[in-house]
Amino acid sequence: MKRLFPLFAILTAALLSFALYESLIVAPVDQLQGNVYRILYYHASSAWTAFILFGINFVASVVYLVRRNEKADVLAFVTAEVGVVFCTVVLVTGPLWARPVWGIWWTWDWRLTSTFVLWLIYVSYLLLRRFSSSGQTPVLAAALAVFGALDIPLVYFSIWFFRTQHPQPVIGDGGYMDPGMLHVLLLNWLAFSCLAFMVCWSRYNLEVLKRELEEAQALESLLETGGAR
Amino acid sequence: MTLTAHTSDVSASQNMAAPNQGTGNNFKSNRPLPPISGFRTTVASLVKDIRLEWRSKDAINSMLFFSLLVVVVFSFSFDPTAQESRRIAGGLIWVAFLFAAIVALNQTWAREMRNQVLDAYRVSPAPANSLFLSKAIGNFLFVLLLEAVMTPLFIMFYQLRALGPAWQLVPIAVLGTWAIVINGTFFASISLRTRSREIMLPLLLFPISIPALLAMVEGTTSILSGELTARFWIALLLAYDVVFTMASLLLFETVLHAE
């Protein structure tokens, strides 16, 4: 596994560079928006990646609640953390695009609002992990993750009831997108998913090491106090 | 008290078992204790909470005063004419009640920390969910009482008059209060195990409550202004209540016993 990581990192870097080249140079210019639209390649790919990570977080939390497997807990923690980072990218690139195209930085439209609420839910999850006292954290965090995941459909459904200003989805729902643009978007998504996977991988190893270290330190101090007696 | 009865044999036999036994010193007998009824545990714990609140009136007084302060402070931020109030009152009322409810929710479990009562609950064979339900129902009653007292004041101060069907405010209030309280009671049991627990509860509760809060605010506003129907929001609140009541009941035991 350790040898695989650098290889995968190089692959991801190459893929990201190629995707950047494709999205800035190869992809055609948008008829209405000009070059501004190119931020979509980062915006949408980050959004999909974040959703996948939050999905993994939910599954890992349920697995932890059922099996009490510590690996599942580490995975849930790591995916939530990286997911929040990608969700932040979505929330930052959105206004950057909206300012020239819509003329406003932000509007309380349903997609923007619900993505923002999604971000809030997972930030509160990370806060809980940070503030809770050691031993019980995994169970409490897993319970909160389940609540958060149950909440997401309700959030989307309730906020959807407001009128929307966001451009309609370009994949699925009958929207039209130039095939040249679509393949660049999918390529970017692949590159971003690889990046997310790589970050999660190294973060996972770091977290495991951190826990092992904490355990060893606790054991050592226990032995020391025992020896002093 | 029924709950502690099974954990300490002596008090159990002295307080409650004696009348049926006839002998008067049944703690020597080897008969197994009857299984603990969830319903009786819920009622016993609920009665205890209500009695405690009745004697101290801590939660209800601070909630009332807090929402009164909100009424006054918000009156400075906009001109409380009848038309303006109608647009804003929905949000104002529910935000006031939500913040006030935090006061009651925060002390739900904090009260049980003194003298290790919560640890006693953990080792007792009483079902965890009855304990949770009694806490949730207790908070529900306290917040409903708060709303019953404060709503006339809101109506008076902000000259509110519903242009839509006013009776629909009742299901919104009942379902909305349950939505806040069921999640609040659950998250209070989580935030209890964290550092700075009083700050943690709103941080966990507010993001998850956004759909419910939105439904309460929008439902109330549409009834007050009479322009739209509130049916969708009532249905949404009902769905929210069902989903999170089930989730809380499924997960509470795990959270209570988390060590």
Side-chain angles (χ1 to χ4, degrees):
Chain A
M1 287 297 268
K2 269 187 183 164
R3 273 189 207 156
L4 267 179
F5 187 78
L7 212 70
F8 187 74
I10 292 167
L11 193 77
T12 306
L15 198 60
L16 272 175
S17 328
F18 181 59
L20 182 67
Y21 168 76
E22 286 271 307
S23 49
L24 289 187
I25 294 167
V26 177
V29 180
D30 189 89
Q31 204 176 3
L32 297 172
Q33 300 174 18
N35 279 323
V36 179
Y37 94 97
R38 287 181 198 275
I39 203 165
L40 160 90
Y41 295 124
Y42 276 25
H43 182 71
S45 328
S46 305
W48 294 341
T49 313
F51 294 157
I52 290 177
L53 288 169
F54 291 147
I56 298 175
N57 167 271
F58 172 60
V59 174
S61 300
V62 171
V63 169
Y64 179 77
L65 281 177
V66 176
R67 294 256 177 92
R68 295 300 159 98
N69 181 340
E70 206 191 331
K71 281 180 186 166
D73 177 53
V74 178
L75 185 65
F77 177 37
V78 165
T79 45
E81 216 176 60
V82 181
V84 165
V85 173
F86 275 89
C87 203
T88 312
V89 171
V90 176
L91 290 174
V92 171
T93 51
L96 285 182
W97 172 85
R99 177 72 185 145
V101 176
W102 287 343
I104 40 172
W105 292 106
W106 182 267
T107 168
W108 291 98
D109 143 85
W110 81 271
R111 259 156 204 270
L112 281 76
T113 315
S114 47
T115 311
F116 190 31
V117 173
L118 185 71
W119 184 84
L120 289 176
I121 289 174
Y122 283 94
V123 169
S124 81
Y125 172 86
L126 292 180
L127 274 176
L128 174 68
R129 294 209 75 124
R130 192 168 181 84
F131 277 99
S132 101
S133 37
S134 60
Q136 312 149 344
T137 316
V139 179
L140 303 182
L144 182 64
V146 171
F147 269 69
L150 287 176
D151 204 37
I152 291 167
L154 288 163
V155 167
Y156 273 74
F157 193 55
S158 62
I159 299 179
W160 165 81
F161 222 63
F162 291 116
R163 239 181 321 162
T164 178
Q165 262 195 324
H166 195 279
Q168 288 306 302
V170 283
I171 308 290
D173 290 12
Y176 173 76
M177 191 180 203
D178 187 275
M181 291 180 181
L182 183 63
H183 101 256
V184 177
L185 181 58
L186 291 177
L187 181 73
N188 267 283
W189 184 30
L190 180 69
F192 271 62
S193 305
C194 285
L195 177 67
F197 182 73
M198 200 189 84
V199 176
C200 284
W201 188 350
S202 67
R203 185 69 186 82
Y204 180 93
N205 288 337
L206 181 68
E207 183 66 22
V208 168
L209 285 176
K210 205 178 120 194
R211 288 185 185 195
E212 276 173 11
L213 183 70
E214 271 167 15
E215 224 165 88
Q217 278 171 343
L219 198 69
E220 201 174 318
S221 64
L222 208 68
L223 287 176
E224 265 173 26
T225 49
R229 241 180 252 163
Chain B
M1 222 188 63
T2 330
L3 262 178
T4 50
H6 295 268
T7 50
S8 67
D9 277 354
V10 178
S11 68
S13 57
Q14 285 174 347
N15 290 343
M16 49 176 294
N20 299 332
Q21 304 301 322
T23 56
N25 59 346
N26 72 315
F27 61 88
K28 281 175 188 165
S29 78
N30 289 328
R31 264 200 293 172
L33 289 163
I36 296 188
S37 133
F39 179 72
R40 273 178 51 205
T41 314
T42 311
V43 172
S45 174
L46 180 62
V47 167
K48 179 214 72 172
D49 276 347
I50 292 176
R51 188 180 296 145
L52 270 178
E53 184 55 41
W54 180 254
R55 288 183 185 160
S56 71
K57 299 187 186 65
D58 282 349
I60 198 77
N61 277 343
S62 30
M63 284 199 296
L64 278 173
F65 190 61
F66 182 86
S67 35
L68 193 64
L69 287 177
V70 172
V71 172
V72 177
V73 170
F74 270 89
S75 73
F76 300 134
S77 68
F78 69 98
D79 182 27
T81 59
Q83 211 183 355
E84 185 76 3
S85 301
R86 213 169 263 138
R87 286 199 304 115
I88 298 176
L92 177 66
I93 292 174
W94 285 110
V95 169
F97 289 157
L98 178 68
F99 281 116
I102 293 289
V103 177
L105 292 168
N106 252 330
Q107 66 164 18
T108 314
W109 301 103
R111 194 182 265 159
E112 310 294 348
M113 295 299 272
R114 266 174 259 149
N115 305 323
Q116 278 79 46
V117 180
L118 199 62
D119 291 331
Y121 276 126
R122 280 203 196 110
V123 295
S124 82
N129 277 342
S130 346
L131 175 63
F132 176 75
L133 272 181
S134 73
K135 292 287 180 191
I137 295 171
N139 284 330
F140 180 65
L141 294 178
F142 298 150
V143 178
L144 271 191
L145 182 65
L146 164 83
E147 287 168 8
V149 176
M150 285 308 295
T151 309
L153 274 182
F154 269 110
I155 293 174
M156 201 179 79
F157 280 137
Y158 290 107
Q159 305 158 43
L160 296 174
R161 198 169 60 82
L163 298 179
W167 64 269
Q168 286 185 352
L169 287 171
V170 177
I172 289 185
V174 171
L175 293 172
T177 309
W178 182 253
I180 293 177
V181 157
I182 190 87
N183 273 349
T185 311
F186 188 84
F187 289 135
S189 76
I190 287 185
S191 67
L192 195 67
R193 325 299 179 67
T194 59
R195 280 175 275 145
S196 56
R197 57 176 80 124
E198 311 244 308
I199 306 169
M200 204 61 214
L201 174 62
L203 296 187
L204 299 178
L205 179 61
F206 289 176
I208 302 270
S209 311
I210 283 173
L213 196 64
L214 182 68
M216 290 186 271
V217 172
E218 285 300 308
T220 308
T221 308
S222 52
I223 289 171
L224 288 181
S225 64
E227 285 163 8
L228 298 160
T229 167
R231 290 243 177 82
F232 170 80
W233 299 114
I234 296 175
L236 184 81
L237 276 176
L238 194 65
Y240 185 95
D241 283 0
V242 170
V243 167
F244 284 103
T245 307
M246 301 300 272
S248 305
L249 291 178
L250 269 174
L251 288 172
F252 181 71
E253 192 166 2
T254 318
V255 167
L256 181 71
H257 293 294
E259 269 311 332

